[in-house]
Amino acid sequence: MIPASFEYFSPRTVPEAVHLLARYGPEAKLLAGGHSLVPLMKLRLAAPRYIIDLNRIDGLSYIREEDGVLRLGALTRHAEIEHSELIRARYPLLADAARVISDPLVRNMGTIGGSLAHADPAGDWGAAMLAAGAEVVAVGPGGTRTIPIDGFFEGTFVTALRPDEVLTEIRLPRAAKDAGGAYLKLERKVGDFAIAAVGVGLLLDGGGTCQQVGIGLCNVGPISLRAAQASRLLSGRKPEESVLARAAEAAAAECDPADDLRGPADYKRDMVRVLTLRALRLAVQRARGGA
Ligand SMILES: Cc1cc2nc3c(=O)[nH]c(=O)nc-3n(C[C@H](O)[C@H](O)[C@H](O)COP(=O)(O)OP(=O)(O)OC[C@H]3O[C@@H](n4cnc5c(N)ncnc54)[C@H](O)[C@@H]3O)c2cc1C
């Protein structure tokens, strides 16, 4: 349980971190909250020769609405999102997801940027960001680029980030008046990764019809998954119970769970159906102004 030795850097700016990444290449790893990387290093499943700690860089931790988007700094801790008044009041999908990530110890240290960059299909932020229609901002030697969340997860623990890029910000559409969201997670015990979890984000137009429906699925496939067919079934329709039920069945058909210690695949698939139905009901209720 003791990591291999490494050289430690503590840059004060993003360009400095990018420079170090470019210099040390694949032998270097960024450190954010350390709650995925450090356990891997202790188990010697990762043995980076160079650690580049982002924690001394000012201005990477924030939650603010600006220019029609919600901006989350990459170093924003799960607990800061969980306790943010803005998030609680206007972004229920994010508030729900933040509060079910592990336990307070993990939430106090783990960061949203680290979670997305780690790309664990069991990570709750991946599914929540797919549901919310997020974009990821990355800074590298060539400048800044924006990556839509749909192209971000390329494989299990693999993202579209280049080895010399730092994820600096996550952007979400600013909450509209008739928007609703929810994130529901089934876990074996409090603090565990999900057996399955489902995030929903949607908008009801003036006539009460579903628009901009996003459904993200957690830990039921090799990457965080979007239930695209389920979303299509809802778009342009009134959220009647029969429509929600059909969408939930579609989401279950779209996931790709494996048998493991959290249960057999067919059980997880059915839990996706149940969680999708419940999350859709809750998101609709919230969009109509309910709690
Ligand atoms: C006991 C335990 C239970 C957990 N349960 C859950 C759970 O239920 N749900 C859940 O979602 N998560 C869970 N986690 C994971 C936790 O949320 C982590 O905090 C998160 O996955 C990684 O964030 P971090 O800031 O700790 O990243 P780190 O561990 O510091 O880094 C993770 C990876 O991302 C890279 N990285 C970090 N920041 C950046 C950046 N800005 N740009 C580019 N690359 C970067 C690192 O190089 C590393 O490869 C759990 C962790 C533990 C230890």
Side-chain angles (χ1 to χ4, degrees):
M1 295 296 278
I2 298 175
S5 60
F6 53 84
E7 201 172 332
Y8 174 84
F9 296 93
S10 182
R12 301 302 167 110
T13 65
V14 171
E16 213 184 311
V18 169
H19 174 76
L20 287 164
L21 274 180
R23 179 160 163 201
Y24 292 113
E27 292 193 299
K29 274 278 179 200
L30 296 173
L31 177 76
H35 270 57
S36 291
L37 180 58
V38 173
L40 289 174
M41 289 171 65
K42 285 180 160 181
L43 293 167
R44 304 253 175 157
L45 294 171
R49 291 188 58 191
Y50 305 98
I51 287 288
I52 304 165
D53 186 350
L54 297 174
N55 287 278
R56 296 265 176 94
I57 301 178
D58 285 336
L60 278 183
S61 175
Y62 51 84
I63 301 171
R64 59 174 178 255
E65 288 181 320
E66 206 172 77
D67 305 329
V69 292
L70 174 72
R71 296 171 189 267
L72 302 169
L75 223 56
T76 309
R77 314 280 161 185
H78 309 320
E80 290 173 311
I81 300 172
E82 179 189 6
H83 298 300
S84 157
E85 286 303 322
L86 172 67
I87 297 296
R88 286 183 175 190
R90 288 169 53 76
Y91 298 89
L93 163 64
L94 304 195
D96 285 357
R99 81 168 71 92
V100 295
I101 295 176
S102 192
D103 53 37
L105 293 177
V106 172
R107 295 201 291 274
N108 283 337
M109 285 305 293
T111 67
I112 186 166
S115 177
L116 294 176
H118 189 52
D120 184 342
D124 290 290
W125 285 128
M129 292 300 114
L130 282 162
E135 287 179 334
V136 169
V137 180
V139 176
T144 301
R145 69 184 179 118
T146 305
I147 309 164
I149 195 71
D150 283 281
F152 185 72
F153 300 112
E154 294 190 338
T156 308
F157 304 115
V158 181
T159 71
L161 287 172
R162 298 182 187 125
D164 52 6
E165 283 182 323
V166 179
L167 192 167
T168 55
E169 186 176 87
I170 298 99
R171 292 181 189 158
L172 281 75
R174 190 180 174 134
K177 193 174 128 289
D178 296 322
Y183 189 86
L184 296 181
K185 173 172 174 175
L186 178 67
E187 50 196 359
R188 292 177 303 174
K189 59 183 173 55
V190 172
D192 195 12
F193 285 96
I195 296 168
V198 176
V200 168
L202 55 76
L203 192 66
L204 294 182
D205 69 12
T209 296
C210 294
Q211 307 290 343
Q212 297 174 24
V213 184
I215 303 175
L217 309 179
C218 170
N219 216 9
V220 286
I223 58 174
S224 305
L225 296 175
R226 173 182 292 287
Q229 176 62 15
S231 300
R232 275 195 291 275
L233 280 171
L234 285 157
S235 288
R237 296 241 166 93
K238 291 243 163 63
E240 289 153 4
E241 186 64 17
S242 60
V243 176
L244 302 188
R246 271 205 304 283
E249 276 166 24
E254 287 180 89
C255 69
D256 183 21
D259 297 332
D260 63 15
L261 51 80
R262 290 191 173 81
D266 54 358
Y267 163 68
K268 294 181 187 179
R269 194 181 289 284
D270 201 43
M271 289 306 99
V272 166
R273 183 187 60 78
V274 172
L275 292 171
T276 304
L277 182 57
R278 291 181 186 173
L280 284 168
R281 284 183 189 142
L282 187 53
V284 167
Q285 185 190 333
R286 286 169 166 170
R288 288 173 175 156

